Amino acid sequence: MNTPPLLEVRNLQVHFRVFGGYLKVLDGVNLVVRAGEKVGLVGESGCGKTTTMKAILRILPEPPAQIVGGHVLFRGKDVLKMRPQELRRLRGRGISMVFQDPTAALNPVFTIGQQLGDVIRYSHSDGRVDAGQIRLKALQALKEVALADPERLLDSYPIQLSGGMRQRVCIAMALATQPELLIADEPGTSLDVTIQDQILRLLHNLVVERNTSVILITHTLGVVREVTDRVYVMYAGTIVESAPTKVLFANPMFPYTRGLMQSVPRLSGGGVAEGIPGRIPNYLNPPTGCRFHPRCPHVMEVCRHEKPPVFTVGEEHYVACYLYAS
Amino acid sequence: MTPILEYKNLKKYFTVGHRGLLRREPITVKAVDGVSFVINKGEVFGLVGESGSGKSTVAYTTIGMYRPTSGAIEFQGESLFTKEGKRPRHIKKEIQIVFQDPGSSLNPRRSVKEILELPLSIHQPAKKHIGRVAELLEMVELPVDYMYKYPHALSGGEKQIVAIARALATEPSFIILDEPTSALDVSIQGKIINLLLRLRQEFHLSYLFITHDLSLMRNVASRVAIMYLGKICEVAEASEFFRNPKHPYTQMLLSSIPVVSEEEEKLKPKRVQSRGEIPSPVNIPSGCSFHLRCPYKMDICPRVDPEMVDTGEGHYVRCHLYPVQENSRPVAV
């Protein structure tokens, strides 16, 4: 592709200062999102998915967090070097985010209308927009996420809504600013499976309609398979494999990705696989070389000392593992 | 097959407030509203439902945290709820539970040894328990020196294994597993599930397995029941259940599952797309409580609550699409 990517993360390193040293959480994350692309980011809890996204939006608490290296380029401009004013413009109109828990993402003491109105007012940088217009736009936003009776909802408080409705409101808020990139952090995880299905279908339809790029963060592999074009697999602060979604599910290569795929219980039956032995490493003293080597069934001598480079194993299929050297 | 637990028209209502002129009319939540089923010895009985469907209330009533509003639960023919109020200790010993979140079900101030000793000291007082604690840890494949650790030093998976060891301490015959792996990562889930299945074989346990993960259910349960707003809508053998789901709600649940392979995709019912949300249990819809979300809704559905029908081969369904035969009576599952 000739067009420059919408978002490019290069060798991003984030450390957290704690008592007794630094947690070396992100260890050189590289990822690319092109315009209109739906990208999945998969990994277990604690692997750094959310830290990466927060670093992209510059909403990490600094300190204790420290971005010690790398670049985050949004439309070619480095987010890490932006002034507060530019950052404000980036958040919202450039990139917006839907969080995992809609209950925590909404303020309980303001009505939906007030919160949605704030987002809409904020997205007009000149501030010249009257209350009537805001209300109209808010109504429009609620209608787009298929919420019934939007008039009444505007004057409701979050507590009066069900979990699924709250998540729809959060999606409406995230899309009301017409962002170019939407980051969805486990948007269905806190909801029931039938509601999750509805939310994912809604999100999918909305972003396809607007040609918004998406980064979907999740630990549910099935969700990634259904809604993304390309997937990054993350383990202990590094991207270990990336591939087009179909390729990854047909032919996972990194030992961790394989273990993860086998761990998912199948609807067709046949028992549950043992999973991957061991646990995610301590970030205070992460393993040298490949961070997966203490749990890897195919570990070699070189894995213990040298961080593996990224090998190309197919079209757009990259694996950071010495098994695929040469 | 001998039954180990029998649920007979179990009802549990909660009063959540009062309304009316004098605030004397109670507002009730019908968390469990007439549930009947049997769990056989050695079986893994799966109970599935969305949040608010009453599946945890069934579990907590079984363990004795709640007294039922009406109906009964019988453990090997003996009623779990007697007039005197207190449950006899020999029954308490037989029925144990593993909760969803091991982070909050283990006391952070107690070492693993103290956690495992507590049930032992209640059921076998005046005895030294250290040997038995070591034995329990071996049973669940944890190093014996873990007994001196505190919960904060354990990973999520290890904590859950300690909670399982605690449930095993009294040598129960029946264990309730209330979403035992939903707080854990998928790569750890397999280990816990396989441990539970192995323990079941070794110690001839029966399980009531509660989860919302149908893919997992397919792999562990021998029979599955689906709950919706306090009632059971369908019960069947696990394989039959996934091959031939009959209730529209079951079909909706199955078609909502995100799966990881084409092969599984083919198993999902295509016709039913998820819509609507589970209504508040304070205002349960009239007739069949699912009619607001049902794609096959008929005139009769909002008026009459359907009865459980036996459709053969141990497959029971409560839906007007499967009418009661003239000569058959309502059935107990």
Side-chain angles (χ1 to χ4, degrees):
Chain A
M1 277 206 204
N2 292 329
T3 46
L6 183 65
L7 177 81
E8 190 178 358
V9 177
R10 273 193 218 147
N11 198 25
L12 184 66
Q13 287 163 300
V14 174
H15 293 181
F16 284 83
R17 175 151 207 164
V18 289
F19 182 76
Y22 286 93
L23 298 178
K24 297 157 201 83
V25 175
L26 295 191
D27 183 34
V29 170
N30 291 292
L31 73 119
V32 167
V33 182
R34 302 187 193 99
E37 200 178 25
K38 279 116 206 95
V39 168
L41 183 60
V42 206
E44 287 177 283
S45 24
C47 76
K49 308 182 292 273
T50 304
T51 302
T52 309
M53 292 309 122
K54 287 190 170 170
I56 290 172
L57 273 172
R58 293 291 304 279
I59 52 174
L60 273 176
E62 298 174 52
Q66 253 177 12
I67 299 176
V68 289
H71 302 276
V72 175
L73 304 171
F74 186 75
R75 293 203 166 283
K77 273 203 89 177
D78 198 337
V79 175
L80 303 182
K81 296 200 182 91
M82 280 186 184
R83 284 172 296 133
Q85 209 179 354
E86 291 175 288
L87 276 176
R88 265 210 300 277
R89 220 172 302 148
L90 171 82
R91 299 178 193 138
R93 269 179 296 171
I95 309 175
S96 64
M97 191 153 173
V98 177
F99 293 91
Q100 174 170 1
D101 181 3
T103 312
L106 293 171
N107 190 326
V109 300
F110 292 102
T111 63
I112 302 300
Q114 284 169 316
Q115 298 188 50
L116 198 48
D118 282 347
V119 174
I120 292 163
R121 190 176 306 112
Y122 184 71
S123 69
H124 290 260
S125 54
D126 51 2
R128 294 228 191 116
V129 53
D130 64 66
Q133 254 180 317
I134 288 179
R135 201 173 165 89
L136 263 171
K137 286 199 169 182
L139 274 178
Q140 180 65 28
L142 289 180
K143 274 183 203 148
E144 276 172 9
V145 292
L147 278 167
D149 202 1
E151 284 276 359
R152 195 175 50 83
L153 275 182
L154 281 184
D155 300 317
S156 308
Y157 288 89
I159 196 169
Q160 295 168 292
L161 275 55
S162 70
M165 287 163 85
R166 285 182 206 149
Q167 194 58 296
R168 281 174 199 261
V169 169
C170 287
I171 292 173
M173 281 166 73
L175 290 176
T177 56
Q178 310 280 348
E180 290 171 273
L181 174 66
L182 179 74
I183 300 176
D185 190 355
E186 312 250 10
T189 311
S190 61
L191 307 169
D192 279 312
V193 61
T194 56
I195 311 300
Q196 164 169 296
D197 184 51
Q198 292 172 23
I199 293 288
L200 288 174
R201 257 189 288 133
L202 171 78
L203 203 58
H204 187 72
N205 292 342
L206 288 174
V207 296
V208 167
E209 206 173 277
R210 293 154 189 246
N211 203 29
T212 313
S213 303
V214 176
I215 302 178
L216 179 77
I217 307 176
T218 180
H219 60 251
T220 319
L221 284 166
V223 167
V224 169
R225 181 176 163 275
E226 286 183 4
V227 296
T228 62
D229 307 324
R230 215 151 50 79
V231 188
Y232 288 92
V233 182
M234 200 162 180
Y235 179 78
T238 46
I239 301 287
V240 293
E241 182 165 4
S242 76
T245 308
K246 277 200 181 118
V247 175
L248 189 87
F249 280 85
N251 186 18
M253 295 189 108
F254 195 89
Y256 173 73
T257 320
R258 290 186 169 186
L260 210 54
M261 293 271 183
Q262 281 161 5
S263 305
V264 180
R266 302 299 160 109
L267 207 49
S268 41
V272 188
E274 266 300 314
I276 309 164
R279 60 202 257 192
I280 215 155
N282 179 349
Y283 287 109
L284 208 52
N285 287 307
T288 52
C290 173
R291 284 188 168 187
F292 187 61
H293 87 252
R295 299 174 75 182
C296 185
H298 309 289
V299 62
M300 296 177 287
E301 198 45 43
V302 60
C303 307
R304 300 181 210 271
H305 310 296
E306 308 263 338
K307 186 179 169 169
V310 174
F311 298 103
T312 308
V313 289
E315 200 175 332
E316 295 212 343
H317 193 169
Y318 307 101
V319 187
C321 177
Y322 282 116
L323 285 178
Y324 304 99
S326 85
Chain B
M1 278 184 293
T2 39
I4 185 161
L5 264 187
E6 273 181 79
Y7 293 79
K8 296 182 171 168
N9 201 20
L10 183 74
K11 288 184 185 175
K12 178 65 198 171
Y13 298 170
F14 294 99
T15 305
V16 292
H18 293 272
R19 68 180 140 213
L21 190 61
L22 295 168
R23 304 251 149 217
R24 283 198 182 148
E25 264 177 78
I27 305 169
T28 47
V29 169
K30 297 180 177 178
V32 178
D33 195 15
V35 160
S36 304
F37 61 92
V38 171
I39 300 175
N40 294 312
K41 240 180 203 146
E43 190 173 42
V44 180
F45 189 87
L47 195 56
V48 185
E50 288 178 275
S51 33
S53 63
K55 54 193 194 313
S56 286
T57 307
V58 169
Y60 297 162
T61 311
T62 314
I63 199 76
M65 283 161 68
Y66 301 140
R67 283 186 78 82
T69 306
S70 72
I73 309 176
E74 284 178 10
F75 176 77
Q76 297 182 324
E78 196 171 347
S79 176
L80 287 186
F81 300 97
T82 50
K83 287 232 166 57
E84 297 84 69
K86 255 201 155 178
R87 182 177 290 189
R89 196 172 285 169
H90 73 271
I91 296 188
K92 279 189 186 168
K93 165 191 162 309
E94 293 293 334
I95 304 175
Q96 292 292 320
I97 188 166
V98 176
F99 292 99
Q100 173 172 0
D101 178 14
S104 58
S105 72
L106 301 180
N107 188 337
R109 295 184 177 207
R110 299 251 187 277
S111 67
V112 170
K113 176 165 162 276
E114 290 167 311
I115 288 169
L116 295 179
E117 266 174 353
L118 186 61
L120 294 171
S121 62
I122 289 169
H123 291 279
Q124 302 159 3
K127 259 182 85 178
K128 281 240 182 260
H129 299 300
I130 188 146
R132 176 72 180 144
V133 167
E135 212 177 283
L136 283 169
L137 287 173
E138 264 165 36
M139 266 157 63
V140 296
E141 297 164 10
L142 280 182
V144 172
D145 59 354
Y146 266 48
M147 71 168 82
Y148 299 110
K149 290 198 179 196
Y150 283 82
H152 69 83
L154 306 177
S155 71
E158 286 166 346
K159 277 185 222 167
Q160 193 61 297
I161 293 176
V162 170
I164 292 169
R166 176 175 59 184
L168 290 169
T170 62
E171 300 178 16
S173 52
F174 183 80
I175 300 181
I176 299 164
L177 305 165
D178 188 3
E179 310 240 18
T181 58
S182 59
L184 306 174
D185 273 314
V186 64
S187 70
I188 298 157
Q189 173 170 277
K191 192 167 180 231
I192 305 272
I193 294 295
N194 288 329
L195 173 71
L196 285 168
L197 294 181
R198 189 176 58 70
L199 291 169
R200 179 183 72 98
Q201 284 236 310
E202 216 166 295
F203 301 101
H204 311 287
L205 301 168
S206 314
Y207 291 150
L208 173 64
F209 193 97
I210 297 178
T211 179
H212 59 259
D213 184 344
L214 280 161
S215 311
L216 179 61
M217 197 56 105
R218 170 72 184 86
N219 290 286
V220 295
S222 40
R223 279 194 307 147
V224 181
I226 299 273
M227 266 187 100
Y228 189 75
L229 283 176
K231 291 180 179 169
I232 289 182
C233 16
E234 188 166 2
V235 183
E237 297 273 328
S239 54
E240 161 77 5
F241 199 94
F242 289 87
R243 202 177 331 117
N244 184 20
K246 290 192 164 155
H247 199 285
Y249 178 58
T250 314
Q251 295 177 4
M252 184 185 279
L253 273 179
L254 285 172
S255 67
S256 304
I257 306 174
V259 295
V260 295
S261 67
E262 281 299 321
E263 181 197 354
E264 292 171 90
E265 202 72 66
K266 289 188 192 114
L267 292 169
K268 294 187 354 184
K270 285 282 147 5
R271 298 148 291 150
V272 180
Q273 213 177 45
S274 163
R275 60 177 195 184
E277 294 186 25
I278 193 164
S280 152
V282 181
N283 285 311
I284 292 181
S286 61
C288 170
S289 54
F290 186 62
H291 79 257
L292 293 172
R293 300 172 74 184
C294 185
Y296 305 117
K297 185 184 146 190
M298 299 178 291
D299 291 338
I300 187 173
C301 300
R303 288 185 286 111
V304 184
D305 197 17
E307 280 174 7
M308 195 62 102
V309 179
D310 185 354
T311 61
E313 288 169 34
H315 197 149
Y316 302 87
V317 60
R318 201 173 55 78
C319 175
H320 287 301
L321 291 173
Y322 308 91
V324 185
Q325 301 298 313
E326 282 297 314
N327 52 358
S328 71
R329 290 170 292 119
V331 285
V333 179

